[in-house]
Every structure is written in C-alpha cells, then in structure tokens.
Amino acid sequence: MNRIRWWLFLLFLLPTQASPKVIRGPYLQLATPNSMVIRWRTDQLCPGMVRFGLTPATATNRTSHSGELSEHVVRLSGLKPDTRYFYEVGRATNLWFTSFGVTNSFVTPPPIGPAQSTRVWVLGDSGTANRHQAAVRDAYYAWSFDRRTDLWLMLGDNAYSTGTDKQYQKAVFDMYPTMLRTSPLWPTLGNHDAGSANSPTQSGVYYDIFTLPTLGQAGGLPSGTEAYYSFDYANIHFICLDSHDTDRSPNGAMAQWLKADLESTARDWIICFFHHPPYTKGSHDSDSLTDSSGRLVQMRENIVPILEAGGVDLVLAGHSHDYERSYLISGAYGFSTNMIAANFVDHGDGRQNGTGAYQKPAGNEPHAGAVYIVAGSSGQTSGGPLNHRAMFLSLNKLGSLVLDVNGLELDATFLTDRGSIRDYFTLKKR
Ligand SMILES: [Fe+2]
C-alpha cells in the first residue's frame, strides 16, 4: 500500500505539458473587401485555426496555417464585402481559445469606389503605456460607443522608447485589446519604433508584428515594401509613408512609387500619413534643418509637392506631442517665415458654423489645398511655441483625432483625454 502511495506521489511530481495560451491578440490586419488577416501569439508552438461565419451558430468555416507556430497568421479569403463575421481562434477543431461575442467579430470593408459612411480613429505617438494613453483611449471608446470604428491609424512612436516587442505588448496589445480584435489597424513607423526595426531590410519588431500590403492587395499600386504602402476603403485612398528609415529624396524609390500611386487612384479622397510633420512648432520644429536630422524639412521640400500635385486632401503626422491643425493651404514648401497669402487657399476656420467648410473641386485636382494635422498627443504632451503660421489652431492637449467621411464630406474632430471636442472642421468636395 505504501509503495502504491509512493508511486502516486512520484507521478504527481512529473512535469505535465500545459496547454498553449494566447498571450497576444487576436488582432486584425490587411483588411480588404474580400479578405482579413487574423493574427495572435501563443506561449508555445502549436497549430493555428480560425473558425468564422455570419453568425456564431453558423461559424463553421475553418482556415488554418500549416505547421506549429507561436506567431499565428491566418488569412480568411472569399469573404463578402461590408459584412459582419464572427470568429474564434484556436489550435484545432474543438480547441478554441476565445468565445464568440460582439467583441469577436469584424465587418469587412465595403466594395472599393462607392461612398460609404466611414469612421477612422487616428492615434499619434501613443506608445507611452501610461495613464495618459489610457485616458485618451477611454475618452474615444466612450464617445464613439455607438459607432463602429471602421479602421484605425497609428502615426508612429507606437511603443516607447525603442519599439521592442515587450514595449509593443504594453503600449499596443495590452492597451487596445478590444479595438485590435474588431477593427483593422494600419500603422506607420516612427523614430522610436525604428529603435528595434529596419526599413531597408523590413526586419525587426515593427515588421514582425504587422502584416502590411506590399503588392497592392488592398488597393493602390504595389510598393514592394511594408515600409510604405497604400490601400483603399470605400471612396478613400490612404497612403502610408516612412519618413524615418526610407530614402526621402525627390527621386527615391518611395517618391517614385508615390507619384505613380497618386496618378493611379480614382478615389474621391486622398489621406496620407507618416510620422515627421512638414509643419510644426511643437516639441519639434519644421523650420530647423537639424531637427530629426532634417527629416521634417525633407518631407516638406521633397514629398509634399508630390502629394499636392496628386491632389492630397489631408496629411496626418505626429512626432511633436501636441495637436496642430492647419488652414486649407497649398504650395508652402519653404520655411514658415516664407509663407505668403497665396499659400492660404482658405484662411478661415473650416467650420460649417464658422467661416464655412473648406471647399475643394471633386476629382483630385492638383494644388487645390490640403489640411495638415499633427496629432501626436495620444500618449503625452510636450509643449513648444505652438505658433506655426500654417496652423489655425495649436493645442498642448492630450487627445486623438476622429475622421468621419460621408460621400464628398469629410469631418475631423479632435477629442481630448477628457472627452471634450477642442477642434473640428469640414472639408467638402463638389
Ligand atoms: Fe517621433
């Protein structure tokens, strides 16, 4: 009897194989009207499978990746546009990690081209992983609770201070779990992210974490790199540039691709986003040739003329930890002191209940004016002179930017960490 007890005791001491656990995600990437990439991480190698369908009860479609992985990437294809799908990730049939619910579903983008009411959430320099970042997040969640977020952008410096995997876990995956599994995130690279990533070789943490289009999978021209890319959502053409670690010269590969991409788009709206702002007087100075090794000046002198020739409507950046929003401007490629009256296409506030919405002709007409926004206060504020002449408004306030596109009208709202609206304007085309 004693012997049996002894053997049972030894058996209890034997190491047992714990079942794998999800330690990151799931999160949505590279959304197209007919496909969605779902990613998640497990604490050990295992198979990966997604089951999905139009209702939890009929979620019987299954897609797997091959082999055993800890970084799971599964692409769902053959989806219907503008349709809600419920999904669950797991490692085999009947071994699911998550439960069905409204938080485990997404809506595929609508067909490319036709207008559709679209909400975009924009975060800049959010990656502090502190209470300020959480307050900005909570204010948006509360304000937008009754409206789905169709997609969201990160304007770089997504994880301080060197964009390591651990820092991304805290500042992105632990911070926005609900948004990550319900709405596709489209990021750009900031200087802090570049502490652990390399654009020329598309390697490192940022490039490992994100699945971004290189072949024009989501609209736009193939860029051949995840460092810069474009995609379409309904009647909007989004362009992501790499202002930090990619050649910014006027005839470099990125500039050449940008020209061709702009020429090829027939969408009603063109929104471009990158990290280093062409116009700012915040914690960075776009009049300084040495600030950020000249990147702000180079983006303004080399890239902005291409964007404006291509009919860009809105240019979003971060880097300065504040909120700065320009008038409708055009052709301002020099220092702020050299701006002339002709650069101000509309010197009003852009508000329908003020001096009126900013107006542009439809059809991506070149040099018809664009609004430039620095939205780099989603994780901290850092002050500065806040007096760039291009800006209608400059605020040292925590917050995030919300874009609502309805047909040929685009409304922008700056929402603070306390849930108050401190700026808004409207761009209209006709
Ligand atoms: Fe930065």
Side-chain angles (χ1 to χ4, degrees), residues 22-234:
V22 175
I23 52 170
R24 174 176 292 181
Y27 60 106
L28 305 176
Q29 294 278 277
L30 224 175
T32 83
N34 304 110
S35 65
M36 185 70 78
V37 170
I38 299 181
R39 297 189 54 159
W40 68 98
R41 175 183 288 181
T42 48
D43 62 350
Q44 52 185 284
L45 298 175
C46 63
M49 181 183 275
V50 178
R51 72 171 167 129
F52 61 102
L54 299 177
T55 67
T58 59
T60 51
N61 302 299
R62 285 169 166 71
T63 305
S64 317
H65 62 67
S66 54
E68 300 210 336
L69 304 169
S70 57
E71 292 296 326
H72 304 272
V73 184
V74 171
R75 181 174 172 271
L76 310 184
S77 58
L79 307 179
K80 291 179 198 164
D82 196 20
T83 301
R84 183 175 292 279
Y85 285 89
F86 293 82
Y87 72 98
E88 200 161 21
V89 303
R91 53 197 168 98
T93 303
N94 299 325
L95 288 172
W96 305 105
F97 294 123
T98 50
S99 310
F100 281 113
V102 281
T103 56
N104 278 344
S105 70
F106 59 82
V107 176
T108 47
I112 288 170
Q116 170 143 329
S117 170
T118 303
R119 171 158 292 180
V120 185
W121 188 31
V122 184
L123 293 163
D125 304 68
S126 50
T128 50
N130 64 17
R131 66 190 170 85
H132 298 308
Q133 184 185 9
V136 170
R137 172 201 64 195
D138 292 345
Y140 174 75
Y141 283 6
W143 185 77
S144 189
F145 77 95
D146 58 350
R147 173 62 168 93
R148 184 177 86 225
T149 302
D150 296 301
L151 63 127
W152 49 315
L153 311 178
M154 279 190 180
L155 303 178
D157 292 357
N158 314 317
Y160 289 101
S161 59
T162 51
T164 63
D165 188 75
K166 249 185 188 167
Q167 290 163 356
Y168 259 93
Q169 185 66 36
K170 284 193 171 142
V172 176
F173 295 101
D174 292 346
M175 188 60 73
Y176 309 106
T178 317
M179 193 62 72
L180 284 160
R181 61 176 183 257
T182 53
S183 179
L185 169 61
W186 301 87
T188 191
L189 183 89
N191 49 301
H192 288 274
D193 308 295
S196 304
N198 182 289
S199 293
T201 57
Q202 295 174 71
S203 61
V205 173
Y206 174 91
Y207 291 101
D208 290 343
I209 285 175
F210 295 114
T211 301
L212 303 168
T214 58
L215 305 168
Q217 297 100 310
L221 285 195
S223 64
T225 172
E226 290 185 298
Y228 51 90
Y229 59 88
S230 61
F231 65 97
D232 289 331
Y233 188 100

Side-chain angles (χ1 to χ4, degrees), residues 125 157 160 190-192 275-276 284 318-321:
D125 304 68
D157 292 357
Y160 289 101
N191 49 301
H192 288 274
H275 186 63
H276 294 80
H284 290 279
H319 201 41
S320 273
H321 305 142

Side-chain angles (χ1 to χ4, degrees), residues 313-331:
D313 300 300
L314 193 58
V315 178
L316 310 172
H319 201 41
S320 273
H321 305 142
D322 57 50
Y323 175 79
E324 298 169 83
R325 191 268 284 182
S326 81
Y327 300 95
L328 187 68
I329 60 171
S330 177

